[in-house]
Amino acid sequence: MAFTKVNDITLHYRDDGPSDGPALVFANSLGTNLHLWDPILPHLPNGLRIVRYDKRGHGQSEVPPAPYAMGALVSDAEALLDHLKIRDCVFVGLSIGGMIGQGLAVKRLDQIRALVLSNTAAKIGTKELWQTRIDAVRAGGIASIADAVMDRWFSRDFLASPKLNTWREMLISQSDDGYIGCSAAIAGTDFYTPTSGLRLPLLGIAGSEDGATPPDLVRETVDLVPGSEFQLMRRAGHLPCVEQPETYAKHLTAFLRRIGHI
């Protein structure tokens, strides 16, 4: 557990593995903290430098007043990697984490040598959709939308699993202001043009039962970058790293090997 001050807020992060190992940086989804990635860690190769962090408003990071701009979230990630002296990492972003990854790759190619865009897109939803969700959280807190979020996040099989409650509890433990702030950032983001200018190795991952970022939406964004790869994970939802961690890690490891990162 570690903390650092970036852009006048305090970010919580984990930096595991050898400091001189090939860097793998993870950015998690809306309504989750850095422990989203815990299930896949035992299935990754030894020797990696693995960095996870709580974006502003989430986990143990500071919660500044909402709304947030995507540019601020990108700048937070940029400052954290500068603080850790990380260059040429592979950046794995899920949902809003994938949007942060796209923005950071456009801004700082020296920091990112390859992208993994998981269950994300250049544009997610509409301003009206996000405003409705923001209004609901303001009126009743995150708990009031938790069941609907679970339905979007997980496959039918996982919704019937006793493991579901762990992730529901993670969601409702997040700050209402942090959730609202990041929802506003997503609502204001359209990365189709900047992402289409990227030229770097890219792996897209989608879940066949993802109710938040359906496979066709993920594929549309991945196809913006020439030479990109795409993996569809069957019987998985918005968080395939939770539902099928071994398979997710297998896809990720194979990509790291193909691009010569390990």
Side-chain angles (χ1 to χ4, degrees):
M1 182 187 300
F3 296 87
T4 187
K5 197 84 168 177
V6 301
N7 303 322
D8 296 324
I9 67 161
T10 300
L11 283 188
H12 170 238
Y13 68 93
R14 287 284 306 258
D15 183 4
D16 297 301
S19 60
D20 59 350
L24 192 58
V25 178
F26 290 95
N28 37 283
S29 61
L30 178 68
T32 66
N33 59 37
L34 59 76
H35 295 293
L36 173 69
W37 304 103
D38 286 359
I40 72 168
L41 297 186
H43 306 292
L44 293 175
N46 293 326
L48 289 166
R49 181 182 185 184
I50 295 175
V51 174
R52 295 167 289 156
Y53 74 101
D54 292 331
K55 62 190 163 292
R56 63 171 59 203
H58 284 67
Q60 296 184 58
S61 288
E62 193 172 336
V63 184
Y68 311 153
M70 185 59 66
L73 297 172
V74 171
S75 182
D76 291 347
E78 175 188 15
L80 176 63
L81 296 194
D82 278 339
H83 169 71
L84 297 174
K85 297 180 170 55
I86 288 177
R87 296 289 182 272
D88 296 321
C89 76
V90 174
F91 193 99
V92 184
L94 195 151
S95 196
I96 188 175
M99 296 182 117
I100 293 168
Q102 291 170 69
L104 186 57
V106 168
K107 187 177 183 183
R108 291 289 300 274
L109 268 178
D110 62 313
Q111 289 186 336
I112 297 183
R113 65 163 300 199
L115 266 179
V116 178
L117 298 182
S118 179
N119 308 79
T120 189
K123 178 177 170 59
I124 300 175
T126 63
K127 289 185 178 180
E128 293 75 21
L129 177 151
W130 287 107
Q131 190 58 54
T132 298
R133 199 169 304 172
I134 287 168
D135 292 344
V137 173
R138 282 193 174 128
I142 294 177
S144 69
I145 66 167
D147 290 340
V149 171
M150 293 299 102
D151 287 342
R152 285 193 298 271
W153 274 8
F154 293 113
S155 68
R156 285 166 293 178
D157 290 346
F158 199 84
L159 286 170
S161 164
K163 297 177 183 177
L164 179 70
N165 194 54
T166 298
W167 303 98
R168 191 181 190 280
E169 289 297 317
M170 180 182 286
L171 171 68
I172 64 177
S173 73
Q174 305 307 314
S175 156
D176 289 349
D177 278 347
Y179 191 95
I180 288 168
C182 286
S183 294
I186 298 171
T189 299
D190 182 341
F191 275 154
Y192 274 102
T193 297
T195 296
S196 67
L198 288 173
R199 299 294 181 268
L200 79 174
L202 191 153
L203 169 65
I205 299 175
S208 66
E209 297 183 39
D210 187 344
T213 52
D216 287 350
L217 182 66
V218 180
R219 186 67 184 259
E220 182 182 34
T221 295
V222 171
D223 285 348
L224 294 173
V225 180
S228 58
E229 306 174 32
F230 180 77
Q231 289 284 352
L232 177 64
M233 293 182 59
R234 303 280 179 186
R235 302 181 73 176
H238 190 55
L239 308 179
C241 53
V242 168
E243 294 195 50
Q244 299 177 25
E246 191 168 357
T247 301
Y248 194 97
K250 180 181 174 183
H251 290 317
L252 182 53
T253 301
F255 177 67
L256 297 179
R257 291 199 169 112
R258 281 195 297 275
I259 66 172
H261 198 60
I262 57 173

